[in-house]
């Protein structure tokens, strides 16, 4: 498995780890942004991280029937982990703001489903995926991601996350920004529409 240091070096080398003032998909502000799409645009480097995550998943989950990934961020990582674990992998996508199964995808009743994302900050997208699993009368076995950047305060998932890398980056509500963040122009790189 890749060390924390080597993993961070790969993220920096691929420009997947950015520094500045960002508004995340969750609406929280942060001094760092992790854009896994940049990592995944270098398959030879991403492969090392995916193999490391797949090994952790194999150790933690003995029986997986299906991998479910939320679009867009989870599609490639879901595919890669599915390929490594030899598991069927599907994705859900937003239609009118809600995750939906399309393209002929379905979750069989009783299936043991693992949700995979690229980055988990609050777990909001993952928890939206859980609704699809419950609706199908299937069983959620857990959550996995390349990067877990959640905090106890931000995380809505209570069962834990299997991740390749845990990165502790403080997040802030807009009305509680530290002075050093207030002085930097804001960038909104996330993909989820916030009202």
């Amino acid at each position: 498995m890749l060390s924390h240091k080597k993993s961070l070096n790969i993220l920096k080398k691929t420009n997947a780890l950015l520094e500045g003032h960002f508004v995340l998909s969750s609406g929280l502000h942060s001094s760092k942004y992790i854009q896994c799409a940049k990592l995944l645009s270098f398959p030879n480097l991403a492969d090392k991280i995916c193999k490391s995550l797949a090994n952790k998943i194999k150790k933690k989950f003995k029986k997986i029937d299906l991998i479910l990934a939320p679009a867009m961020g989870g599609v490639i990582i879901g595919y890669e982990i599915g390929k490594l674990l030899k598991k069927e992998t599907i994705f859900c996508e937003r239609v009118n703001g809600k995750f939906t199964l399309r393209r002929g995808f379905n979750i069989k009743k009783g299936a043991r489903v693992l949700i995979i994302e690229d980055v988990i900050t609050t777990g909001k997208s993952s928890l939206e995926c859980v609704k699809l699993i419950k609706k199908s009368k299937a069983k959620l076995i857990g959550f996995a991601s390349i990067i877990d950047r959640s905090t106890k305060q931000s995380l809505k998932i209570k069962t834990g996350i299997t991740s390749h890398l845990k990165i502790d980056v403080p997040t802030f509500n807009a009305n509680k920004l530290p002075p050093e963040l207030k002085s930097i122009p804001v960038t909104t790189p996330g993909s989820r529409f916030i009202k």
Side-chain angles (χ1 to χ4, degrees):
M1 283 196 237
L2 282 176
S3 69
H4 188 85
K5 185 178 179 180
K6 284 182 181 173
S7 298
L8 284 177
N9 285 340
I10 289 172
L11 291 177
K12 288 175 183 172
K13 185 176 181 175
T14 60
N15 289 321
L17 179 58
L18 306 174
E19 295 189 354
H21 180 181
F22 304 97
V23 178
L24 308 174
S25 295
S26 62
L28 298 170
H29 291 243
S30 177
S31 63
K32 289 186 174 42
Y33 183 73
I34 297 153
Q35 179 53 272
C36 278
K38 295 291 285 178
L39 166 66
L40 297 170
S41 69
F42 294 90
N44 60 321
L45 295 173
D47 184 61
K48 295 173 185 179
I49 287 176
C50 290
K51 283 178 178 168
S52 182
L53 177 57
N55 286 333
K56 287 184 178 183
I57 291 169
K58 270 195 253 187
K59 286 180 184 173
K60 173 118 186 206
F61 304 104
K62 299 305 174 205
K63 184 94 170 95
I64 301 168
D65 297 316
L66 180 71
I67 291 171
L68 174 63
M72 273 300 298
V75 174
I76 296 173
I77 182 65
Y79 171 84
E80 285 297 316
I81 297 300
K83 182 172 72 171
L84 290 165
L85 298 178
K86 298 177 174 55
K87 298 296 175 186
E88 181 184 359
T89 304
I90 64 173
F91 61 88
C92 56
E93 52 197 306
R94 290 190 191 280
V95 176
N96 298 322
K98 288 184 149 192
F99 275 132
T100 306
L101 293 175
R102 298 178 60 214
R103 304 171 196 273
F105 291 146
N106 66 58
I107 301 170
K108 292 180 184 124
K109 183 178 178 180
R112 289 175 283 259
V113 185
L114 176 66
I115 294 173
I116 293 189
E117 291 215 54
D118 53 353
V119 179
I120 294 179
T121 301
T122 64
K124 186 175 177 184
S125 293
S126 290
L127 291 174
E128 287 180 61
C129 292
V130 172
K131 292 176 187 174
L132 296 172
I133 296 168
K134 286 181 178 176
K135 185 178 175 184
S136 300
K137 296 187 168 99
K139 182 183 178 195
L140 169 70
I141 61 164
F143 303 92
S145 64
I146 294 176
I147 296 166
D148 174 2
R149 64 161 290 161
S150 66
T151 62
K152 284 182 182 177
Q153 295 79 21
S154 71
L155 188 63
K156 298 182 184 337
I157 294 170
K158 301 304 175 199
T159 57
I161 300 162
T162 300
S163 66
H164 167 68
L165 195 61
K166 171 73 175 154
I167 297 179
D168 293 315
V169 180
T171 55
F172 307 93
N173 287 316
N175 59 350
K176 295 184 180 175
L177 295 178
E180 62 274 11
L181 221 51
K182 281 183 187 176
S183 65
I184 301 170
V186 178
T187 303
T188 308
S191 61
R192 188 185 311 126
F193 179 73
I194 303 168
K195 283 191 174 187

